[in-house]
mmCIF file of all heavy atoms in Angstrom:
data_model
loop_
_atom_site.group_PDB
_atom_site.id
_atom_site.type_symbol
_atom_site.label_atom_id
_atom_site.label_comp_id
_atom_site.label_asym_id
_atom_site.label_seq_id
_atom_site.Cartn_x
_atom_site.Cartn_y
_atom_site.Cartn_z
ATOM 1 N N GLY A 1 -10.220 5.957 -15.085
ATOM 2 C CA GLY A 1 -11.305 5.193 -14.418
ATOM 3 C C GLY A 1 -10.806 4.332 -13.266
ATOM 4 O O GLY A 1 -11.639 3.701 -12.622
ATOM 5 N N PHE A 2 -9.514 4.273 -13.060
ATOM 6 C CA PHE A 2 -8.994 3.492 -11.953
ATOM 7 C C PHE A 2 -8.555 4.375 -10.805
ATOM 8 O O PHE A 2 -8.091 5.468 -10.957
ATOM 9 C CB PHE A 2 -7.706 2.659 -12.423
ATOM 10 C CG PHE A 2 -8.022 1.685 -13.487
ATOM 11 C CD1 PHE A 2 -7.860 1.998 -14.861
ATOM 12 C CD2 PHE A 2 -8.411 0.377 -13.119
ATOM 13 C CE1 PHE A 2 -8.115 1.029 -15.865
ATOM 14 C CE2 PHE A 2 -8.703 -0.540 -14.158
ATOM 15 C CZ PHE A 2 -8.563 -0.268 -15.479
ATOM 16 N N ARG A 3 -8.779 3.866 -9.585
ATOM 17 C CA ARG A 3 -8.389 4.631 -8.369
ATOM 18 C C ARG A 3 -6.911 4.364 -8.049
ATOM 19 O O ARG A 3 -6.497 3.195 -7.934
ATOM 20 C CB ARG A 3 -9.283 4.212 -7.196
ATOM 21 C CG ARG A 3 -10.754 4.517 -7.396
ATOM 22 C CD ARG A 3 -11.583 4.017 -6.276
ATOM 23 N NE ARG A 3 -11.478 2.592 -6.016
ATOM 24 C CZ ARG A 3 -11.800 1.952 -4.924
ATOM 25 N NH1 ARG A 3 -12.397 2.658 -3.923
ATOM 26 N NH2 ARG A 3 -11.628 0.669 -4.770
ATOM 27 N N VAL A 4 -6.128 5.401 -7.931
ATOM 28 C CA VAL A 4 -4.694 5.339 -7.768
ATOM 29 C C VAL A 4 -4.228 6.124 -6.637
ATOM 30 O O VAL A 4 -4.580 7.311 -6.469
ATOM 31 C CB VAL A 4 -3.927 5.756 -9.062
ATOM 32 C CG1 VAL A 4 -2.429 5.527 -8.890
ATOM 33 C CG2 VAL A 4 -4.447 4.997 -10.304
ATOM 34 N N LEU A 5 -3.417 5.506 -5.737
ATOM 35 C CA LEU A 5 -2.744 6.220 -4.639
ATOM 36 C C LEU A 5 -1.305 6.442 -5.081
ATOM 37 O O LEU A 5 -0.579 5.468 -5.481
ATOM 38 C CB LEU A 5 -2.732 5.373 -3.340
ATOM 39 C CG LEU A 5 -4.088 5.026 -2.791
ATOM 40 C CD1 LEU A 5 -3.964 4.203 -1.499
ATOM 41 C CD2 LEU A 5 -4.919 6.268 -2.519
ATOM 42 N N LYS A 6 -0.816 7.694 -5.025
ATOM 43 C CA LYS A 6 0.550 7.992 -5.473
ATOM 44 C C LYS A 6 1.329 8.609 -4.313
ATOM 45 O O LYS A 6 0.845 9.430 -3.541
ATOM 46 C CB LYS A 6 0.465 8.991 -6.628
ATOM 47 C CG LYS A 6 -0.141 8.426 -7.915
ATOM 48 C CD LYS A 6 -0.059 9.423 -9.071
ATOM 49 C CE LYS A 6 -0.647 8.847 -10.362
ATOM 50 N NZ LYS A 6 -0.532 9.753 -11.487
ATOM 51 N N VAL A 7 2.593 8.165 -4.241
ATOM 52 C CA VAL A 7 3.472 8.704 -3.169
ATOM 53 C C VAL A 7 4.895 8.765 -3.730
ATOM 54 O O VAL A 7 5.275 7.861 -4.491
ATOM 55 C CB VAL A 7 3.400 7.800 -1.892
ATOM 56 C CG1 VAL A 7 3.766 6.348 -2.220
ATOM 57 C CG2 VAL A 7 4.211 8.393 -0.764
ATOM 58 N N SER A 8 5.669 9.709 -3.326
ATOM 59 C CA SER A 8 7.055 9.808 -3.711
ATOM 60 C C SER A 8 7.955 9.394 -2.559
ATOM 61 O O SER A 8 7.774 9.807 -1.410
ATOM 62 C CB SER A 8 7.397 11.267 -4.122
ATOM 63 O OG SER A 8 6.642 11.646 -5.252
ATOM 64 N N SER A 9 8.992 8.592 -2.873
ATOM 65 C CA SER A 9 9.859 8.070 -1.859
ATOM 66 C C SER A 9 11.152 7.543 -2.465
ATOM 67 O O SER A 9 11.158 7.172 -3.631
ATOM 68 C CB SER A 9 9.163 7.003 -1.010
ATOM 69 O OG SER A 9 10.104 6.335 -0.158
ATOM 70 N N GLY A 10 12.185 7.420 -1.667
ATOM 71 C CA GLY A 10 13.405 6.815 -2.166
ATOM 72 C C GLY A 10 13.553 5.351 -1.897
ATOM 73 O O GLY A 10 14.483 4.702 -2.387
ATOM 74 N N ASN A 11 12.566 4.743 -1.196
ATOM 75 C CA ASN A 11 12.586 3.294 -0.921
ATOM 76 C C ASN A 11 11.193 2.734 -1.108
ATOM 77 O O ASN A 11 10.233 3.084 -0.391
ATOM 78 C CB ASN A 11 13.095 3.083 0.497
ATOM 79 C CG ASN A 11 13.246 1.632 0.844
ATOM 80 O OD1 ASN A 11 12.267 0.916 1.125
ATOM 81 N ND2 ASN A 11 14.510 1.153 0.664
ATOM 82 N N VAL A 12 11.050 1.838 -2.046
ATOM 83 C CA VAL A 12 9.748 1.352 -2.481
ATOM 84 C C VAL A 12 9.138 0.391 -1.415
ATOM 85 O O VAL A 12 8.017 0.609 -0.980
ATOM 86 C CB VAL A 12 9.829 0.718 -3.875
ATOM 87 C CG1 VAL A 12 8.420 0.128 -4.211
ATOM 88 C CG2 VAL A 12 10.267 1.740 -4.913
ATOM 89 N N PRO A 13 9.850 -0.681 -1.020
ATOM 90 C CA PRO A 13 9.218 -1.634 -0.094
ATOM 91 C C PRO A 13 8.811 -1.012 1.237
ATOM 92 O O PRO A 13 7.714 -1.232 1.727
ATOM 93 C CB PRO A 13 10.303 -2.686 0.154
ATOM 94 C CG PRO A 13 11.203 -2.561 -1.027
ATOM 95 C CD PRO A 13 11.225 -1.107 -1.385
ATOM 96 N N SER A 14 9.689 -0.219 1.828
ATOM 97 C CA SER A 14 9.359 0.408 3.099
ATOM 98 C C SER A 14 8.195 1.323 2.998
ATOM 99 O O SER A 14 7.336 1.479 3.886
ATOM 100 C CB SER A 14 10.598 1.179 3.676
ATOM 101 O OG SER A 14 10.309 1.849 4.839
ATOM 102 N N THR A 15 8.102 2.029 1.861
ATOM 103 C CA THR A 15 7.049 3.023 1.654
ATOM 104 C C THR A 15 5.670 2.309 1.475
ATOM 105 O O THR A 15 4.678 2.705 2.092
ATOM 106 C CB THR A 15 7.322 3.882 0.441
ATOM 107 O OG1 THR A 15 8.520 4.632 0.694
ATOM 108 C CG2 THR A 15 6.147 4.807 0.162
ATOM 109 N N ILE A 16 5.660 1.194 0.751
ATOM 110 C CA ILE A 16 4.450 0.444 0.591
ATOM 111 C C ILE A 16 3.964 -0.111 1.938
ATOM 112 O O ILE A 16 2.782 -0.005 2.328
ATOM 113 C CB ILE A 16 4.706 -0.741 -0.413
ATOM 114 C CG1 ILE A 16 4.898 -0.180 -1.835
ATOM 115 C CG2 ILE A 16 3.482 -1.707 -0.373
ATOM 116 C CD1 ILE A 16 5.242 -1.285 -2.851
ATOM 117 N N ALA A 17 4.912 -0.612 2.753
ATOM 118 C CA ALA A 17 4.594 -1.108 4.097
ATOM 119 C C ALA A 17 4.047 0.008 4.971
ATOM 120 O O ALA A 17 2.992 -0.205 5.676
ATOM 121 C CB ALA A 17 5.802 -1.748 4.734
ATOM 122 N N ALA A 18 4.650 1.197 4.927
ATOM 123 C CA ALA A 18 4.195 2.309 5.713
ATOM 124 C C ALA A 18 2.774 2.737 5.354
ATOM 125 O O ALA A 18 1.918 3.031 6.205
ATOM 126 C CB ALA A 18 5.164 3.466 5.615
ATOM 127 N N VAL A 19 2.504 2.820 4.055
ATOM 128 C CA VAL A 19 1.191 3.202 3.567
ATOM 129 C C VAL A 19 0.157 2.175 3.967
ATOM 130 O O VAL A 19 -0.971 2.539 4.371
ATOM 131 C CB VAL A 19 1.210 3.447 2.032
ATOM 132 C CG1 VAL A 19 -0.221 3.664 1.531
ATOM 133 C CG2 VAL A 19 2.080 4.565 1.670
ATOM 134 N N LEU A 20 0.479 0.882 3.863
ATOM 135 C CA LEU A 20 -0.458 -0.176 4.262
ATOM 136 C C LEU A 20 -0.830 -0.063 5.756
ATOM 137 O O LEU A 20 -1.992 -0.195 6.128
ATOM 138 C CB LEU A 20 0.113 -1.531 3.952
ATOM 139 C CG LEU A 20 0.292 -1.885 2.485
ATOM 140 C CD1 LEU A 20 1.022 -3.218 2.325
ATOM 141 C CD2 LEU A 20 -1.018 -1.942 1.779
ATOM 142 N N LEU A 21 0.200 0.191 6.611
ATOM 143 C CA LEU A 21 -0.077 0.307 8.008
ATOM 144 C C LEU A 21 -0.891 1.524 8.318
ATOM 145 O O LEU A 21 -1.802 1.555 9.196
ATOM 146 C CB LEU A 21 1.306 0.400 8.780
ATOM 147 C CG LEU A 21 2.117 -0.924 8.744
ATOM 148 C CD1 LEU A 21 3.524 -0.699 9.323
ATOM 149 C CD2 LEU A 21 1.359 -1.992 9.521
ATOM 150 N N GLU A 22 -0.706 2.629 7.563
ATOM 151 C CA GLU A 22 -1.475 3.833 7.751
ATOM 152 C C GLU A 22 -2.941 3.595 7.306
ATOM 153 O O GLU A 22 -3.870 4.003 7.973
ATOM 154 C CB GLU A 22 -0.875 4.974 6.970
ATOM 155 C CG GLU A 22 -1.641 6.337 7.105
ATOM 156 C CD GLU A 22 -1.572 6.925 8.468
ATOM 157 O OE1 GLU A 22 -0.759 6.418 9.334
ATOM 158 O OE2 GLU A 22 -2.326 7.863 8.753
ATOM 159 N N ILE A 23 -3.140 2.870 6.191
ATOM 160 C CA ILE A 23 -4.443 2.569 5.776
ATOM 161 C C ILE A 23 -5.195 1.727 6.800
ATOM 162 O O ILE A 23 -6.336 1.962 7.102
ATOM 163 C CB ILE A 23 -4.406 1.790 4.404
ATOM 164 C CG1 ILE A 23 -3.984 2.730 3.280
ATOM 165 C CG2 ILE A 23 -5.744 1.157 4.052
ATOM 166 C CD1 ILE A 23 -3.717 2.080 1.940
ATOM 167 N N ARG A 24 -4.483 0.776 7.378
ATOM 168 C CA ARG A 24 -5.044 -0.037 8.466
ATOM 169 C C ARG A 24 -5.521 0.832 9.640
ATOM 170 O O ARG A 24 -6.596 0.673 10.188
ATOM 171 C CB ARG A 24 -4.012 -1.067 8.928
ATOM 172 C CG ARG A 24 -4.524 -1.954 10.068
ATOM 173 C CD ARG A 24 -3.339 -2.562 10.794
ATOM 174 N NE ARG A 24 -2.564 -1.525 11.547
ATOM 175 C CZ ARG A 24 -1.441 -1.807 12.226
ATOM 176 N NH1 ARG A 24 -0.984 -3.054 12.227
ATOM 177 N NH2 ARG A 24 -0.801 -0.858 12.850
ATOM 178 N N ASP A 25 -4.636 1.792 10.009
ATOM 179 C CA ASP A 25 -4.902 2.574 11.177
ATOM 180 C C ASP A 25 -6.045 3.547 10.999
ATOM 181 O O ASP A 25 -6.822 3.826 11.923
ATOM 182 C CB ASP A 25 -3.641 3.275 11.657
ATOM 183 C CG ASP A 25 -2.556 2.375 12.131
ATOM 184 O OD1 ASP A 25 -2.939 1.189 12.520
ATOM 185 O OD2 ASP A 25 -1.363 2.728 12.155
ATOM 186 N N VAL A 26 -6.172 4.141 9.791
ATOM 187 C CA VAL A 26 -7.172 5.148 9.587
ATOM 188 C C VAL A 26 -8.533 4.543 9.233
ATOM 189 O O VAL A 26 -9.603 5.143 9.451
ATOM 190 C CB VAL A 26 -6.800 6.146 8.440
ATOM 191 C CG1 VAL A 26 -5.516 6.865 8.810
ATOM 192 C CG2 VAL A 26 -6.669 5.455 7.123
ATOM 193 N N SER A 27 -8.513 3.297 8.761
ATOM 194 C CA SER A 27 -9.784 2.650 8.322
ATOM 195 C C SER A 27 -10.284 1.594 9.304
ATOM 196 O O SER A 27 -11.477 1.332 9.323
ATOM 197 C CB SER A 27 -9.557 1.959 6.955
ATOM 198 O OG SER A 27 -8.693 0.874 7.053
ATOM 199 N N GLY A 28 -9.395 1.057 10.071
ATOM 200 C CA GLY A 28 -9.792 -0.067 10.992
ATOM 201 C C GLY A 28 -9.837 -1.400 10.291
ATOM 202 O O GLY A 28 -10.268 -2.371 10.921
ATOM 203 N N VAL A 29 -9.442 -1.487 9.028
ATOM 204 C CA VAL A 29 -9.466 -2.682 8.302
ATOM 205 C C VAL A 29 -8.027 -3.100 7.836
ATOM 206 O O VAL A 29 -7.315 -2.218 7.341
ATOM 207 C CB VAL A 29 -10.373 -2.560 7.007
ATOM 208 C CG1 VAL A 29 -10.322 -3.838 6.181
ATOM 209 C CG2 VAL A 29 -11.789 -2.258 7.445
ATOM 210 N N VAL A 30 -7.667 -4.333 8.002
ATOM 211 C CA VAL A 30 -6.320 -4.828 7.609
ATOM 212 C C VAL A 30 -6.329 -4.987 6.096
ATOM 213 O O VAL A 30 -7.060 -5.879 5.582
ATOM 214 C CB VAL A 30 -5.903 -6.083 8.303
ATOM 215 C CG1 VAL A 30 -4.554 -6.587 7.853
ATOM 216 C CG2 VAL A 30 -5.966 -5.915 9.864
ATOM 217 N N PRO A 31 -5.587 -4.197 5.366
ATOM 218 C CA PRO A 31 -5.550 -4.370 3.870
ATOM 219 C C PRO A 31 -4.683 -5.501 3.403
ATOM 220 O O PRO A 31 -3.918 -6.074 4.104
ATOM 221 C CB PRO A 31 -4.992 -3.023 3.417
ATOM 222 C CG PRO A 31 -4.009 -2.607 4.547
ATOM 223 C CD PRO A 31 -4.638 -3.123 5.803
ATOM 224 N N SER A 32 -4.964 -5.851 2.155
ATOM 225 C CA SER A 32 -4.159 -6.855 1.472
ATOM 226 C C SER A 32 -3.474 -6.209 0.258
ATOM 227 O O SER A 32 -4.062 -5.294 -0.366
ATOM 228 C CB SER A 32 -4.978 -8.052 0.955
ATOM 229 O OG SER A 32 -5.598 -8.705 2.028
ATOM 230 N N VAL A 33 -2.240 -6.623 -0.013
ATOM 231 C CA VAL A 33 -1.519 -6.033 -1.152
ATOM 232 C C VAL A 33 -1.045 -7.122 -2.160
ATOM 233 O O VAL A 33 -0.708 -8.226 -1.697
ATOM 234 C CB VAL A 33 -0.280 -5.171 -0.647
ATOM 235 C CG1 VAL A 33 0.752 -6.082 0.038
ATOM 236 C CG2 VAL A 33 0.377 -4.433 -1.804
ATOM 237 N N TYR A 34 -1.137 -6.842 -3.423
ATOM 238 C CA TYR A 34 -0.832 -7.791 -4.442
ATOM 239 C C TYR A 34 0.350 -7.349 -5.301
ATOM 240 O O TYR A 34 0.413 -6.216 -5.786
ATOM 241 C CB TYR A 34 -2.091 -7.969 -5.311
ATOM 242 C CG TYR A 34 -3.259 -8.519 -4.547
ATOM 243 C CD1 TYR A 34 -4.101 -7.672 -3.870
ATOM 244 C CD2 TYR A 34 -3.515 -9.879 -4.468
ATOM 245 C CE1 TYR A 34 -5.228 -8.136 -3.114
ATOM 246 C CE2 TYR A 34 -4.570 -10.362 -3.746
ATOM 247 C CZ TYR A 34 -5.437 -9.505 -3.030
ATOM 248 O OH TYR A 34 -6.468 -10.012 -2.293
ATOM 249 N N PHE A 35 1.323 -8.295 -5.465
ATOM 250 C CA PHE A 35 2.574 -8.027 -6.273
ATOM 251 C C PHE A 35 2.739 -9.066 -7.366
ATOM 252 O O PHE A 35 2.148 -10.177 -7.316
ATOM 253 C CB PHE A 35 3.751 -8.101 -5.370
ATOM 254 C CG PHE A 35 3.875 -7.066 -4.290
ATOM 255 C CD1 PHE A 35 3.410 -7.348 -3.025
ATOM 256 C CD2 PHE A 35 4.473 -5.846 -4.498
ATOM 257 C CE1 PHE A 35 3.485 -6.426 -2.013
ATOM 258 C CE2 PHE A 35 4.618 -4.925 -3.465
ATOM 259 C CZ PHE A 35 4.107 -5.189 -2.228
ATOM 260 N N GLU A 36 3.582 -8.678 -8.342
ATOM 261 C CA GLU A 36 4.144 -9.663 -9.235
ATOM 262 C C GLU A 36 5.604 -9.975 -8.743
ATOM 263 O O GLU A 36 6.245 -9.163 -8.119
ATOM 264 C CB GLU A 36 4.254 -9.096 -10.675
ATOM 265 C CG GLU A 36 2.898 -8.923 -11.351
ATOM 266 C CD GLU A 36 3.060 -8.446 -12.767
ATOM 267 O OE1 GLU A 36 4.224 -8.333 -13.221
ATOM 268 O OE2 GLU A 36 2.047 -8.105 -13.378
ATOM 269 N N TRP A 37 6.055 -11.198 -9.013
ATOM 270 C CA TRP A 37 7.418 -11.511 -8.696
ATOM 271 C C TRP A 37 8.414 -10.664 -9.448
ATOM 272 O O TRP A 37 8.186 -10.358 -10.635
ATOM 273 C CB TRP A 37 7.731 -13.014 -8.960
ATOM 274 C CG TRP A 37 7.253 -13.919 -7.890
ATOM 275 C CD1 TRP A 37 6.229 -14.897 -8.062
ATOM 276 C CD2 TRP A 37 7.696 -14.028 -6.550
ATOM 277 N NE1 TRP A 37 6.011 -15.525 -6.870
ATOM 278 C CE2 TRP A 37 6.904 -15.033 -5.993
ATOM 279 C CE3 TRP A 37 8.628 -13.366 -5.797
ATOM 280 C CZ2 TRP A 37 7.080 -15.453 -4.634
ATOM 281 C CZ3 TRP A 37 8.848 -13.763 -4.498
ATOM 282 C CH2 TRP A 37 8.047 -14.733 -3.885
#
């Protein structure tokens, strides 16, 4: 019941950043991302 985006990569931070920038570009909306320390 949860919406999940899945991607395979060797580097987690860079991949998250790249996906966020792509989401911004395809949607026209600047996304927000939430982490735990």
Side-chain angles (χ1 to χ4, degrees):
F2 295 94
R3 298 178 301 166
V4 183
L5 301 179
K6 296 184 178 182
V7 60
S8 295
S9 170
N11 185 279
V12 177
S14 177
T15 298
I16 293 175
V19 173
L20 292 173
L21 292 171
E22 180 68 12
I23 289 173
R24 178 201 68 182
D25 293 340
V26 300
S27 68
V29 176
V30 178
S32 297
V33 63
Y34 298 85
F35 295 92
E36 291 181 7
W37 280 113

